[in-house]
Amino acid sequence: IANVAGERVGTGMGLFMAGGELGRTLGPLITAGAVGWVGLEGIWRLMFIGWVASGILYLRLKDVKVAARRRGSLHLDTALRVFGVLAWLTLTRAFLIGAVTTFLPTYMNDVAGASLWLAAGALTILEAAGVAGALLAGSLSDRFGRRAVLLFLMMLSPVLLILFVNSPASLYVPLLVLLGITALAPQPVFLAVVQDAFPNDRALANGIFNAIVFLALGSGIWLTGVSADNLGLQNAFLLSAFIAFLGVPAIFFLPARASAG
């Protein structure tokens, strides 16, 4: 994707992540409908959707030529510096992401008193807004620089989560929309930073970054759950917002290419 996107790596990564967010938006609805239609034991039929998607991808991409690049740009000192900063950003952000995705339905049901359907609907609203956020963030980072867009998003999303926890029910929907746009949007920008920093080792660099993301997100979700058990879910949400603020200074340590121009 980065190779085909040319100079618009952020836009390409935004489109890629928007597809992922759209899948997470529609997936729960499709799965719930399938369970109601064929029962839990019959949802294996959904695997055919994945097979069809793979076939379409093959037909559309089999003639796309992506030239192999010369290896050798992923030096140890550069990798430690860039991935160290990204690990800092990813880990501090993982608590907020875990709160607003994994635990949002539970929060809506147990704390806000919403019905189970409304609780699931809250997650759908959040993820749907994340589609728009991914598209916007990637494109804007091409224009204004990775650092500027990340700074805006990572300053705003914790504030919105704090407002959401302390808001009346009438403001839940608009705050969820704004939270989805800002909280889920940094991922394509992170991917663009990785692609920019290691243009000759993009596949390897992407693999390292994704390993960091999986480890950080798993840890963040687990620790948010522990906090919820000990402090209450509302306090765990607030704590995750404050931890997210700790990642803001890391933005200024990103590679110089991540700034505008």
Side-chain angles (χ1 to χ4, degrees):
I1 292 171
N3 289 339
V4 172
E7 295 298 319
R8 302 178 64 188
V9 175
T11 301
M13 292 300 158
L15 289 168
F16 171 64
M17 291 302 301
E21 298 301 339
L22 185 60
R24 283 187 284 271
T25 301
L26 299 178
L29 299 177
I30 294 173
T31 303
V35 170
W37 181 33
V38 297
L40 188 62
E41 70 282 357
I43 62 170
W44 59 268
R45 294 173 174 85
L46 294 179
M47 69 184 182
F48 291 107
I49 298 176
W51 290 357
V52 170
S54 296
I56 293 172
L57 282 172
Y58 172 74
L59 293 174
R60 296 289 295 174
L61 302 179
K62 64 184 177 67
D63 296 323
V64 174
K65 302 298 181 183
V66 180
R69 293 171 178 252
R70 180 180 58 83
R71 294 287 309 279
S73 67
L74 206 159
H75 300 295
L76 182 60
D77 56 343
T78 303
L80 289 174
R81 176 170 55 85
V82 174
F83 289 121
V85 174
L86 289 171
W88 178 0
L89 285 163
T90 303
L91 183 59
T92 53
R93 179 173 165 266
F95 293 85
L96 187 146
I97 296 301
V100 300
T101 55
T102 304
F103 296 103
L104 179 62
T106 306
Y107 177 89
M108 294 297 295
N109 189 246
D110 293 352
V111 179
S115 67
L116 191 59
W117 277 105
L118 287 175
L123 184 57
T124 297
I125 292 171
L126 182 88
E127 294 286 359
V131 176
L135 288 172
L136 286 172
S139 298
L140 290 174
S141 72
D142 285 335
R143 181 174 181 181
F144 298 108
R146 318 290 188 219
R147 286 179 182 172
V149 173
L150 285 174
L151 184 62
F152 175 79
L153 294 173
M154 294 191 67
M155 286 291 290
L156 186 57
S157 54
V159 173
L160 290 169
L161 181 57
I162 293 170
L163 290 175
F164 174 77
V165 169
N166 293 283
S167 69
S170 58
L171 295 178
Y172 281 168
V173 171
L175 285 174
L176 281 172
V177 170
L178 293 173
L179 194 55
I181 291 174
T182 57
L184 304 179
Q187 192 68 9
V189 186
F190 289 150
L191 288 171
V193 169
V194 172
Q195 301 299 297
D196 291 341
F198 305 101
N200 297 326
D201 294 279
R202 283 174 163 172
L204 175 59
N206 187 66
I208 295 172
F209 174 67
N210 276 304
I212 293 171
V213 170
F214 291 139
L215 290 171
L217 190 57
S219 301
I221 291 173
W222 173 63
L223 291 172
T224 301
V226 171
S227 299
D229 287 341
N230 289 277
L231 305 174
L233 197 53
Q234 187 170 16
N235 289 328
F237 270 45
L238 291 172
L239 179 61
S240 70
F242 287 114
I243 291 175
F245 279 123
L246 299 178
V248 172
I251 296 170
F252 299 100
F253 293 94
L254 288 172
R257 192 173 176 180
S259 59

